[in-house]
Amino acid sequence: SGGTTVEMTDFIVSNNLSNGNGLSGFWFYKTTHGTVSGNVTRANAAHGFAMDEVGYSTITANSASSNTLVGFKNVTASLVNIYSSNVAASNGSHGFQLENVTLSNISGNNIRANGGYGFIGGGTTSANVIVGNNVRLNTAGDIAAQPSNTRIVNNDIGTARTIASAATITLPTNGDYFYITGTTNITSIAGSWTERRVTLQFDDVLTVTDGSNLNMAGNFVTAWKATISYIFDGTNWVETSRSFN
């Protein structure tokens, strides 16, 4: 049998347990202007919380664990929601799979030990803020790559901030301060989200070349503990400062 289906506006769903259903624990369909809080879903045959066409709602302090598929799953277009202080742990697939979600805030969630990604989007997912989440020990990875207009800030993903130098370096999706090892010269940095700011600290001597997608005040020959900072303008990394310490 299925769990609970909610289809309404101006609603509150709180402090319920949905355990061991044949489908998802909760399905929210065409719901707007509501609050979903304090609910627990566990060991359901599909998702913990399934959401479609949800808008202007707050999903907070819920728990989805040990469900066969995804902890928190959105498929059809949803927008302007807050997902905060939820737990998604030990689900068979992703912790959060928010496909086609826009203009939403995903913050302060504990997303751990899921069988897929901790957080993944898809479809038209864009223009969200993913901030201050604890996202660790997820099998496929912690936060999957997001569109350039999504902000990913101050999440605890337990990822090493050390990057080996290469002609093109790719920064992790989270973090703003990285340690660069090795002596291979750098000619470009893979793109990220617009207005992302980063600082690179170097352990050895190499040249960071002004050109490609690096707009700089000339080449930068590094030294031990030298730093260079950039902001990404959507196309290029623009130097904002450099220093030798």
Side-chain angles (χ1 to χ4, degrees):
S1 63
T4 300
T5 299
V6 179
E7 184 178 357
M8 64 181 70
T9 60
D10 302 315
F11 67 94
I12 296 174
V13 177
S14 63
N15 300 326
N16 299 285
L17 170 65
S18 187
N19 180 34
N21 294 288
L23 297 173
S24 296
F26 290 89
W27 182 36
F28 295 89
Y29 178 61
K30 293 185 175 180
T31 55
T32 61
H33 301 94
T35 298
V36 181
S37 65
N39 301 286
V40 175
T41 66
R42 187 173 63 247
N44 295 288
H47 313 300
F49 295 84
M51 294 166 281
D52 295 287
E53 299 182 47
V54 175
Y56 305 94
S57 295
T58 299
I59 299 95
T60 185
N62 302 283
S63 175
S65 63
S66 302
N67 297 287
T68 300
L69 298 178
V70 179
F72 294 80
K73 167 81 170 180
N74 190 93
V75 177
T76 55
S78 296
L79 76 166
V80 195
N81 295 310
I82 296 173
Y83 307 83
S84 67
S85 302
N86 300 288
V87 173
S90 301
N91 296 288
S93 186
H94 311 299
F96 278 73
Q97 185 175 9
L98 301 185
E99 297 178 352
N100 305 308
V101 170
T102 58
L103 302 171
S104 294
N105 188 302
I106 300 97
S107 64
N109 300 285
N110 192 337
I111 311 171
R112 301 174 69 85
N114 296 284
Y117 278 98
F119 180 91
I120 189 170
T124 60
T125 293
S126 65
N128 298 304
V129 176
I130 304 170
V131 59
N133 300 283
N134 187 334
V135 193
R136 289 184 173 229
L137 304 176
N138 299 284
T139 301
D142 293 310
I143 300 177
Q146 300 296 308
S148 61
N149 61 357
T150 288
R151 302 288 189 271
I152 307 173
V153 184
N154 295 333
N155 298 283
D156 183 357
I157 58 175
T159 299
R161 301 292 174 86
T162 300
I163 302 170
S165 60
T168 299
I169 61 172
T170 299
L171 305 177
T173 56
N174 187 64
D176 56 14
Y177 199 100
F178 301 99
Y179 302 91
I180 309 299
T181 62
T183 59
T184 302
N185 294 332
I186 297 171
T187 57
S188 66
I189 302 173
S192 189
W193 67 83
T194 303
E195 298 181 4
R196 184 181 188 185
R197 295 176 180 268
V198 299
T199 297
L200 310 181
Q201 177 182 311
F202 297 88
D203 286 349
D204 214 321
V205 178
L206 58 85
T207 299
V208 184
T209 303
D210 179 21
S212 184
N213 72 338
L214 302 180
N215 289 352
M216 301 166 54
N219 293 348
F220 182 47
V221 180
T222 69
W224 182 65
K225 287 198 172 182
T227 65
I228 189 166
S229 299
Y230 298 96
I231 184 171
F232 189 64
D233 68 4
T235 303
N236 299 303
W237 291 96
V238 179
E239 180 184 350
T240 58
S241 67
R242 62 176 72 181
S243 69
F244 293 90
N245 301 305

